Amino acid sequence: PPADAGTACALTRALVTTSDFTAGGYALGALATPALMAAGGMAPDQDHIPVQSGCVVYNLLRGNDILAVLDNANLPAIARRIPLRGQVPDAGSGPYQVNPYDVLTVSPTKAYVVQFALAHVAVVNPTVDGASAITARIDLAPVRHPMDRDPSGAPEATRIVRVGDRALVALQNLSAFAPIANGTLAVINTATDALVDLDPMTNGVQGVTLSAQNPSAMTLTPSGARVVVSSVGVQAFAPPQVLDGAVEALDAMTLRPTGMRVSETAFGGDLGDVVMLDEDRGWAIVSRLASDAGAGDARVMEFNLATGMVGRTIYTASSLGGLARDPSGSVWVLDRSAGASGVRVFNADGTARGGALRTALPPYGIAFVP
């Protein structure tokens, strides 16, 4: 299993961050009998996402550009704050100068922070408080696509997973928020913190070129044998909707494509988060825009990488914020529908585990924690 899957500790609870984009909060509950209770009062940032990696629980305070390390014994209390601004000389003081998107614990004293607005991955020591926790950085410029001429210099890194002694970072390759090339996976050697060149016979540093643009989600299959990437392509916010994304899988060791690609055309909407229930079967969030053909909605839909086919619709709502698979195999779905928001839990066969778990504010992110 992947090293960041909590194998060294028992993950027994769900930590949900909530937000209505003016204020943020928390809910906490047990996995065995799904339930959620408000916890910890208001959050210091309305745009905040929890991540559990290597038994360390983080909260990405995106608007404030802070990596918060939480106190596992008193969740969601913050044990340490690592400010991420100021890593480059021309960084401003406004929000989203860094925009942390994901974090991976490599060892008890080393973690990688994926930063959407910067051209590098920050290397931090999660046991240290303050700016001195930033110990190094990994430059992503060598794998930035040559067509990406955005002044920020950032390749728009979004997700990170670990496979053995390598970390894979998903790059969206955007210019003015529009994709200009297929997505890329940068590969980092976790022992040396150096980029890995997958094709030494070609000039420069080569990563993995994905089959679609704009990767928005990445996960591993339960065995850790495959890396599954969900790419949204061109994301329209008004009709007509462009269905050019896909879910694809790579062999975790060779990083070569494996199984069948599942297209957005088959799903009938733009892709979001994805979870894998076994090596082939997964669920994805699919968003459909309103058009003359009917009202827009968001759905949890099943797919199969062995056949490339889309199956049942598991759940439909007006807005979904994400989904995650807990250690027992149940899937938690974040329903942000106006007037009916909450978390819904499903068995792997698609049956619901009770009704909605209500949250004071709409659910925004989820992590399974000790």
Side-chain angles (χ1 to χ4, degrees):
D4 64 333
T7 54
C9 58
L11 305 179
T12 60
R13 297 179 292 172
L15 174 64
V16 176
T17 54
T18 62
S19 176
D20 62 1
F21 300 119
T22 61
Y26 307 92
L28 189 65
L31 298 183
T33 304
L36 289 173
M37 295 289 291
M42 302 307 292
D45 193 327
Q46 49 83 22
D47 189 350
H48 64 139
I49 299 293
V51 176
Q52 182 281 132
S53 177
C55 301
V56 182
V57 183
Y58 305 91
N59 196 9
L60 305 177
L61 306 178
R62 290 176 168 175
N64 289 307
D65 295 325
I66 291 173
L67 176 68
V69 182
L70 303 188
D71 180 356
N72 287 8
N74 189 30
L75 293 175
I78 296 175
R80 290 171 291 282
R81 287 178 170 85
I82 302 175
L84 299 171
R85 287 181 199 161
Q87 298 175 58
V88 293
D90 58 348
S93 59
Y96 300 106
Q97 297 299 313
V98 174
N99 203 357
Y101 255 56
D102 205 357
V103 58
L104 170 72
T105 300
V106 178
S107 75
T109 58
K110 184 169 79 171
Y112 295 152
V113 185
V114 171
Q115 305 173 118
F116 184 83
L118 297 183
H120 62 268
V121 172
V123 184
V124 306
N125 184 342
T127 68
V128 174
D129 190 51
S132 61
I134 302 175
T135 60
R137 68 184 193 180
I138 302 168
D139 187 11
L140 296 174
V143 289
R144 186 187 185 203
H145 196 277
M147 292 297 293
D148 183 357
R149 301 186 180 94
D150 193 291
S152 72
E156 295 78 35
T158 57
R159 295 289 181 263
I160 186 168
V161 298
R162 184 176 181 178
V163 180
D165 62 355
R166 298 182 295 183
L168 311 180
V169 181
L171 310 179
Q172 292 185 331
N173 298 322
L174 308 181
S175 184
F177 299 103
I180 47 80
N182 286 10
T184 306
L185 299 186
V187 183
I188 299 171
N189 182 321
T190 58
T192 64
D193 298 340
L195 289 175
V196 177
D197 185 2
L198 297 182
D199 184 6
M201 301 302 292
T202 301
N203 290 336
V205 178
Q206 310 303 315
V208 178
T209 300
L210 299 172
S211 72
Q213 297 179 331
N214 204 357
S216 60
M218 181 167 60
T219 190
L220 297 174
T221 55
S223 72
R226 302 168 92 182
V227 181
V228 179
V229 183
S230 169
S231 297
V232 68
V234 176
Q235 190 170 11
F237 297 97
Q241 192 163 11
V242 180
L243 302 182
D244 57 345
V247 175
E248 60 189 298
L250 307 170
D251 182 280
M253 298 307 296
T254 67
L255 298 182
R256 296 183 182 277
T258 177
M260 297 291 291
R261 182 178 182 270
V262 188
S263 70
E264 277 189 344
T265 301
F267 284 107
D270 277 327
L271 285 161
D273 275 354
V274 61
V275 297
M276 294 304 298
L277 304 177
D278 56 37
E279 296 307 294
D280 292 312
R281 191 167 60 98
W283 293 357
I285 287 183
V286 180
S287 299
R288 306 191 310 166
L289 293 177
S291 67
D292 292 340
D297 59 31
R299 303 181 176 193
V300 177
M301 301 181 71
E302 65 179 6
F303 64 89
N304 193 304
L305 291 169
T307 64
M309 302 296 291
V310 173
R312 296 174 298 164
T313 295
I314 305 298
Y315 183 68
T316 302
S318 62
S319 177
L320 295 176
L323 77 171
R325 177 184 177 273
D326 73 21
S328 73
S330 295
V331 179
W332 297 54
V333 178
L334 308 183
D335 187 345
R336 291 181 55 82
S337 301
S341 63
V343 180
R344 298 181 181 271
V345 186
F346 295 87
N347 296 309
D349 64 2
T351 57
R353 293 184 63 185
L357 309 179
R358 298 299 182 191
T359 53
L361 296 173
Y364 193 57
I366 185 169
F368 304 114
V369 299

